[in-house]
Amino acid sequence: MGACRKILLISAFSGLVFCNARLVIELVDAQKEHSRLRCRVRPLLEKTGEAEKQLAMKQDHMRKMLTNKDFMEQVVREKAGYIGQKEKIFRFED
């Protein structure tokens, strides 16, 4: 019975060593994948930050257009070339 017990213990130990080796390999692969994904996420987070800043600027611009008549008039003048009723335009030849 001693020989059977030794064979059983060696088999169990071998199985545990194999499982641990497989676990280490999986952990190393997971760490590599994590690093690769982190490198891919970093630029996306930067783009997200830039997009959030642009959104905040556009929301502020829209809020000003809806609440500030002078600002809206200024924007219309810049974009469409709007001229007020009491204004005159002078063009100078170069």
Side-chain angles (χ1 to χ4, degrees), residues 68-80 82:
N68 188 341
K69 184 179 177 184
D70 295 332
F71 181 77
M72 187 172 72
E73 187 175 316
Q74 176 187 352
V75 170
V76 171
R77 286 174 191 267
E78 290 174 3
K79 299 289 181 182
Y82 171 75

Side-chain angles (χ1 to χ4, degrees), residues 6-91:
K6 285 182 182 180
I7 291 173
L8 184 61
L9 287 174
I10 290 173
S11 297
F13 183 71
S14 298
L16 289 173
V17 168
F18 175 75
C19 289
N20 284 336
R22 183 75 178 143
L23 179 63
V24 168
I25 291 170
E26 291 295 326
L27 287 174
V28 168
D29 289 344
Q31 185 179 10
K32 288 179 184 176
E33 181 72 9
H34 182 326
S35 297
R36 186 182 67 79
L37 290 174
R38 191 181 319 156
C39 291
R40 288 182 63 194
V41 166
R42 190 172 293 135
L44 296 174
L45 289 175
E46 290 173 5
K47 285 182 182 180
T48 300
E50 292 172 13
E52 287 174 348
K53 287 178 186 176
Q54 288 180 356
L55 176 63
M57 285 176 36
K58 288 180 180 182
Q59 287 175 335
D60 185 50
H61 186 80
M62 181 62 75
R63 183 185 51 77
K64 285 181 183 177
M65 284 188 69
L66 293 173
T67 59
N68 188 341
K69 184 179 177 184
D70 295 332
F71 181 77
M72 187 172 72
E73 187 175 316
Q74 176 187 352
V75 170
V76 171
R77 286 174 191 267
E78 290 174 3
K79 299 289 181 182
Y82 171 75
I83 303 168
Q85 292 178 354
K86 297 179 183 178
E87 295 178 340
K88 294 181 182 178
I89 295 179
F90 295 95
R91 291 190 182 192

